[in-house]
Amino acid sequence: MAADHARRVLLDAIAAGVFPSAVFDVGSSTGPLQQGHLGRRTFARESAPVAAGTCYDLASLTKPIATTTVVMDLVGRGTIGLDEPLAASFPEWHGADREPVTVRDLLEHSAGLPARLVDPPPPGRREFEHDICAMPLEYGPRTRSLYSDLGFILLGLLVERRTTTLLDATFDTVLQRLTSIDGTLATAPLSFRLDGDARLGAAPTRPLEDDLRRGRMLAGEVHDNYAAMLGGVAGHAGLFGTAAAVGGFAQLVLRAARGDGTVPPPLSPPQVAAMITQSAVPGSSRALGWDTMLPTSSCGTRMSAAAFGHVGFTGTSLWIDPLRDRYFVLLTNRACGDGTVEQMREVRRAFHDSLADL
């Protein structure tokens, strides 16, 4: 069976030390089809097993799930314009090469920004804003696409300027509104801030060597050091969630992508269609906050050309295929051990390919 094959892929990866644990949720527009949890919170023999309700650091899944959703909500309300120039909101974003850059360019990773800062992260929001706005661009805006955490940090700061609240509070408000109108979203945590048992029981990660927090495990504390310097709330990373919570969000997006007019804004069919339309930037597979299907993608080889999704550095991924009426959530804590990005990529591809006939 497809589900047995998928479990074997994940168990083999655990045995190989790619990650100590994995949870998954695979479903259709009507609900989950297969769910599972495997492994322990860490590689230590005495570590507790993970459960279906274990929270994971979603890393860059924050970009499409939280930041893009909030931005599109504000676009729908007329608070932000996709084609408004960044210079109108950030006075330090100035110069002939920067003037054409828009909100859309940040969402499509085509604003000219590098992936990360050259120097260690600064100590706060105002300093981050200055460093991003003042740094030299790496390429001409809209001439190509380069995946950039910096662009999404700036999007998070833009949201906070327009709403006068932190990104996490705005996202919580949007989720509450979606949940009150449509019951699809799981009640399990999908939040920048975990409390109590959810925090204590979260799947741990280990800081990178250039992180000031190195030498200890992070449980319920964001792995990304930029997000940590921003207090755990940032446009590029910081969101935590369970597989069921991410699956509930994915089901809403899948329904909208298939034309279900009952899905409310900001995940209505016209808004989701805008989000998943591939960029016109040369050579780019990016859409608005999402990535689209390529034969080399982490979603494997058997999804349709209409598939879209995203991955996270900690070992997370979300892919949605509207033609096949499927969503695929895979959450691991690869960043707990020594599993490489390439190993994780191969596990993701094998996992998704094994479920192609589900």
Side-chain angles (χ1 to χ4, degrees):
M1 291 176 61
D4 292 337
H5 188 185
R7 286 177 179 273
R8 176 47 54 193
V9 167
L10 299 178
L11 287 171
D12 287 348
I14 291 171
V18 181
F19 43 74
S21 69
V23 295
F24 63 90
D25 184 332
V26 180
S28 71
S29 56
T30 60
L33 297 171
Q34 293 287 341
Q35 297 172 311
H37 52 278
L38 309 94
R40 298 178 180 275
R41 294 176 68 243
T42 73
F43 286 110
R45 182 170 298 180
E46 67 274 14
S47 180
V50 296
T54 299
C55 285
Y56 283 74
D57 182 337
L58 302 181
S60 283
L61 292 190
T62 303
K63 293 179 173 77
I65 294 175
T67 308
T68 301
T69 300
V70 167
V71 168
M72 293 303 289
D73 183 57
L74 296 177
V75 168
R77 294 170 179 272
T79 307
I80 288 177
L82 283 176
D83 296 311
E84 69 173 71
L86 288 189
S89 299
F90 299 102
E92 291 171 293
W93 184 277
H94 59 79
D97 59 338
R98 284 173 136 77
E99 288 178 5
V101 175
T102 66
V103 172
R104 184 187 302 275
D105 297 328
L106 293 182
L107 287 165
E108 293 183 348
H109 296 280
S110 61
L113 289 167
R116 305 274 284 186
L117 297 172
V118 174
D119 298 318
R125 281 171 147 64
R126 178 67 190 92
E127 294 82 1
F128 256 106
E129 181 182 311
H130 168 78
D131 286 1
I132 296 171
C133 288
M135 71 190 310
L137 296 184
E138 188 160 316
Y139 59 93
R142 293 195 287 274
T143 61
R144 64 186 179 100
S145 177
L146 176 66
Y147 185 78
S148 174
D149 284 341
L150 304 182
F152 269 77
I153 291 174
L154 208 55
L155 282 169
L157 296 174
L158 175 61
V159 166
E160 292 172 1
R161 278 175 175 259
R162 297 297 170 86
T163 62
T164 67
T165 59
L166 289 178
L167 176 64
D168 63 328
T170 305
F171 177 62
D172 288 347
T173 298
V174 172
L175 274 190
Q176 289 166 9
R177 190 170 72 245
L178 285 169
T179 304
S180 68
I181 298 172
D182 188 294
T184 301
L185 275 173
T187 56
L190 189 57
S191 174
F192 283 90
R193 303 184 193 276
L194 297 181
D195 297 317
D197 292 343
R199 182 182 180 91
L200 292 174
T205 59
R206 188 174 66 191
L208 297 175
E209 285 303 311
D210 62 351
D211 193 321
L212 296 177
R213 302 169 297 168
R214 62 187 176 274
R216 65 182 178 88
M217 284 289 188
L218 307 172
E221 185 178 349
V222 66
H223 177 263
D224 183 271
N225 62 334
Y226 287 12
M229 293 300 286
L230 290 163
V233 179
H236 72 299
L239 195 65
F240 286 82
T242 64
V246 178
F249 177 86
Q251 187 187 341
L252 270 182
V253 176
L254 174 59
R255 283 170 48 195
R258 288 173 58 84
D260 183 346
T262 67
V263 181
L267 299 179
S268 66
Q271 287 169 300
V272 168
M275 283 187 243
I276 64 176
T277 298
Q278 187 172 328
S279 169
V281 171
S284 176
S285 64
R286 298 289 167 183
L288 297 181
W290 294 86
D291 201 6
T292 60
M293 168 66 172
L294 291 174
T296 55
S297 294
S298 65
C299 60
T301 61
R302 301 185 65 186
M303 288 198 193
S304 77
F308 57 96
H310 211 286
V311 301
F313 182 81
T314 52
T316 59
S317 64
L318 166 60
W319 279 92
I320 297 171
D321 190 339
L323 289 186
R324 292 174 54 204
D325 189 22
R326 292 290 183 270
Y327 68 81
F328 304 83
V329 176
L330 174 61
L331 308 182
T332 82
N333 55 334
R334 178 196 69 84
C336 183
D338 297 319
T340 66
V341 172
E342 182 58 31
Q343 284 177 313
M344 190 69 230
R345 177 177 174 275
E346 292 308 312
V347 170
R348 287 182 180 123
R349 288 172 63 81
F351 172 78
H352 291 111
D353 281 349
S354 70
L355 294 166
D357 298 323
L358 182 66

